[in-house]
Amino acid sequence: MKQPNSVPSSELMLRETASQTAGPYVHIGLALAAAGNPTRDEEIWNEMARDDAEGKLIEVVGTVIDGNGDLVRDAFIEAWQADSDGKYQLEYDQQKPFNSFGRTATTFDNGSEWSLKTIKPGPVAHASGQSMAPHINLSIFARGINIQLQTRLYFDDEADANAKCPVLTRIESPTRRQTLIAKREEADGKVIYRLDIRLQGEGETVFFDF
Amino acid sequence: MQDDNKRFVARDRNWHPPAYAPGYKTSVARSPQQALVSMQKPSVSELSGPDFRALRMGPHDNDLLLNFRQDQSQGQGLPQGERIIMFGRVVDQFGKPVPHTLVEMWQANAGGRYRHKNDNYLAPLDPNFGGVGRCLTDDQGWYRFRTIKPGPYPWPNDMNSWRPSHIHVSVMGPSISTRLITQMYFEGDPLIPLCPIVNTLKDPDAVETMIGRLDLARSNPMDCLAYRFDLVVRGELQTFFENQ
């Protein structure tokens, strides 16, 4: 691979492979069931927690909305979250009752909502030593998104922790912090948190660089 | 790693495509208008990521010539098209191999048709081609797939836009910070410089990082050609002097 002669480092450093959009058919590659295609024995999908997982079982749902206010019906989302003790389970293993990693998608079929069955994460320590409020890291990929958009989902029933979270409070605009806070609902005895991700314009979701 | 004792080289967001790249029309309404919020001190949330060594894969997960085969009898049920090996190494920006990381790919068939219900291009599906693969890199960072070379296809962007032949490639790397989705193009394809998606990149050197190179030495004579596509993910550093 060709590399440029000038590199922004004292060491000879390679440039990162450039990002490209995941395109309109990302589902056939990374979300086979959502594409309606045959699946393999093990797929990485949206059931991060089984019923016997430790912690509080929750469902996390939402839509993705573009700058016109229209539903994005071909998004692909990856989730990364700590377990109920605030520890990341690094080893992905479908034999375990809980995995820190999951995937979900919106499609043209199902009301265009993404959803994750998971547990509510515990608080995680920030590099500064402070505690971060419980959160789920989300990466959004889709046609028209040239490099993934990285965001976090927080919980509206964690107001005290949210107010002190060193990441949430880094967002200068308190109004914009609200775009990351999922709203609790209850339906059929299930606890559901809803977060709509707005890619652009009014109520635009905060996206991070890290 | 659960600790915060590492960091990744910052992403050069002028090297990557910008969110808003109006030549690629869909990006116009799908790009944030607000600035990204930079986390000055990434935490374990960003510095860690999943390890997929325990994911159970099928024997043909990285072989697209066999993993959608309808007729299993000898010599039957192979997809139409140019048989190729696609292989490469995943390294970080310091050249360090990234072992045991998940590489996934998906693509159209030889005629440029995807096995997806929304793709209604008139080129037909291939009954023996699904277009999906995955594998883990080995302990030296190498991955390989066997597939057929995808065809170009038209798409509704400009009045006459065609995607170059490409394979979508997804790599995790050691953390969610290194997570990358890109596309591999094929060396010498004259559609590459005409493509609005390729041209979301401003730096021609960045485009070079997405081009798979013909590698005749790694081909199988009388069987299939080979293309090499190395992936570079963000460099991993240990942190020093971060605490007072």
Side-chain angles (χ1 to χ4, degrees):
Chain A
M1 158 185 336
K2 185 170 173 251
Q3 291 287 342
N5 292 324
S6 70
V7 292
S9 169
S10 58
E11 307 172 58
L12 183 64
M13 199 173 78
L14 302 173
R15 303 301 297 263
E16 190 184 6
T17 302
S19 175
Q20 293 272 266
T21 177
Y25 307 122
V26 56
H27 300 64
I28 77 159
L30 304 182
L32 282 70
N37 286 348
T39 56
R40 297 161 292 198
D41 284 349
E42 281 196 1
E43 294 291 346
I44 305 165
W45 193 230
N46 65 350
E47 192 171 304
M48 299 167 72
R50 292 197 313 237
D51 290 342
D52 59 336
E54 267 182 57
K56 195 167 78 182
L57 215 56
I58 61 171
E59 206 176 318
V60 184
V61 303
T63 55
V64 182
I65 298 160
D66 72 12
N68 300 318
D70 295 320
L71 289 169
V72 172
R73 308 182 77 182
D74 51 13
F76 170 73
I77 297 174
E78 286 184 345
W80 178 240
Q81 68 161 87
D83 64 19
S84 54
D85 294 327
K87 293 273 185 294
Y88 284 92
Q89 298 282 327
L90 302 185
E91 185 177 84
Y92 183 91
D93 183 350
Q94 295 191 349
Q95 307 310 304
K96 295 193 304 187
F98 170 74
N99 272 296
S100 279
F101 188 75
R103 290 172 162 176
T104 182
T106 66
T107 70
F108 285 78
D109 302 330
N110 61 2
S112 294
E113 283 196 353
W114 53 270
S115 73
L116 296 160
K117 181 187 171 189
T118 186
I119 52 166
K120 194 162 176 202
V124 174
H126 187 249
S128 66
Q130 291 170 273
S131 184
M132 296 187 282
H135 64 276
I136 301 176
N137 306 284
L138 297 176
S139 296
I140 296 106
F141 301 84
R143 176 173 68 99
I145 297 177
N146 292 320
I147 184 165
Q148 75 262 37
L149 296 168
Q150 301 165 141
T151 189
R152 283 185 173 192
L153 177 151
Y154 287 87
F155 300 89
D156 71 344
D157 52 4
E158 298 283 347
D160 290 348
N162 290 344
K164 285 182 256 173
C165 177
V167 171
L168 261 182
T169 54
R170 244 208 73 69
I171 302 165
E172 271 186 51
S173 158
T175 309
R176 299 206 68 218
R177 292 173 199 163
Q178 298 303 315
T179 67
L180 303 187
I181 299 181
K183 303 269 184 296
R184 183 187 165 112
E185 302 168 0
E186 278 182 48
D188 308 329
K190 281 194 301 187
V191 177
I192 297 167
Y193 291 91
R194 177 174 300 275
L195 185 74
D196 295 325
I197 295 161
R198 291 186 164 75
L199 301 179
Q200 184 189 86
E202 195 182 334
E204 183 178 303
T205 300
V206 170
F207 299 108
F208 293 102
D209 191 12
F210 52 73
Chain B
M1 249 189 266
Q2 289 281 351
D3 67 21
D4 297 322
N5 188 30
K6 63 176 172 184
R7 66 185 178 88
F8 293 94
V9 173
R11 243 179 194 148
D12 181 347
R13 289 185 177 268
N14 294 312
W15 174 259
H16 287 288
Y20 175 74
Y24 174 26
K25 294 182 179 180
T26 312
S27 78
V28 172
R30 294 188 174 191
S31 45
Q33 290 168 336
Q34 301 276 343
L36 299 179
V37 174
S38 297
M39 287 188 192
Q40 299 301 328
K41 260 192 195 301
S43 67
V44 64
S45 288
E46 294 77 36
L47 299 173
S48 62
D51 174 338
F52 289 107
R53 271 177 278 189
L55 180 70
R56 288 183 301 183
M57 301 217 198
H60 299 309
D61 277 8
N62 70 338
D63 188 347
L64 286 71
L65 298 190
L66 301 182
N67 71 18
F68 209 82
R69 191 178 188 181
Q70 299 308 306
D71 184 345
Q72 304 285 333
S73 55
Q74 187 68 35
Q76 301 299 307
L78 291 170
Q80 299 277 349
E82 295 181 37
R83 297 161 59 91
I84 61 169
I85 292 167
M86 167 195 181
F87 76 103
R89 200 174 199 188
V90 183
V91 299
D92 79 5
Q93 287 178 275
F94 299 108
K96 191 179 132 207
V98 182
H100 315 301
T101 201
L102 183 64
V103 180
E104 295 161 280
M105 54 84 100
W106 68 99
Q107 61 168 95
N109 68 23
R113 175 79 181 269
Y114 282 90
R115 186 168 287 280
H116 187 293
K117 56 194 145 204
N118 293 351
D119 187 358
N120 49 21
Y121 181 33
L122 50 78
L125 286 171
D126 183 329
N128 296 303
F129 192 71
V132 184
R134 64 180 176 185
C135 69
L136 287 184
T137 58
D138 67 15
D139 54 10
Q140 297 298 311
W142 293 95
Y143 74 88
R144 60 190 57 75
F145 295 102
R146 190 167 71 151
T147 186
I148 54 109
K149 187 179 172 187
Y153 60 85
W155 60 298
N157 191 67
D158 299 322
M159 287 301 291
N160 191 16
S161 293
W162 291 75
R163 294 304 324 281
S165 293
H166 64 277
I167 295 177
H168 296 268
V169 183
S170 159
V171 62
M172 179 55 68
S175 92
I176 67 163
S177 294
T178 54
R179 179 82 183 91
L180 179 75
I181 290 183
T182 187
Q183 300 181 26
M184 180 190 100
Y185 302 99
F186 290 83
E187 180 177 6
D189 186 340
L191 287 169
I192 294 170
L194 305 178
C195 175
I197 290 178
V198 173
N199 290 333
T200 58
L201 303 180
K202 296 175 204 143
D203 188 330
D205 287 332
V207 174
E208 294 292 322
T209 67
M210 305 188 299
I211 295 177
R213 306 281 167 190
L214 180 68
D215 188 334
L216 206 54
R218 296 292 187 108
S219 71
N220 290 343
M222 305 303 287
D223 180 351
C224 61
L225 281 172
Y227 283 85
R228 178 168 179 173
F229 185 56
D230 290 344
L231 288 154
V232 180
V233 299
R234 291 168 64 183
E236 182 176 332
L237 297 145
Q238 298 299 305
T239 58
F240 298 108
F241 306 119
E242 290 235 327
N243 297 310
Q244 297 161 11

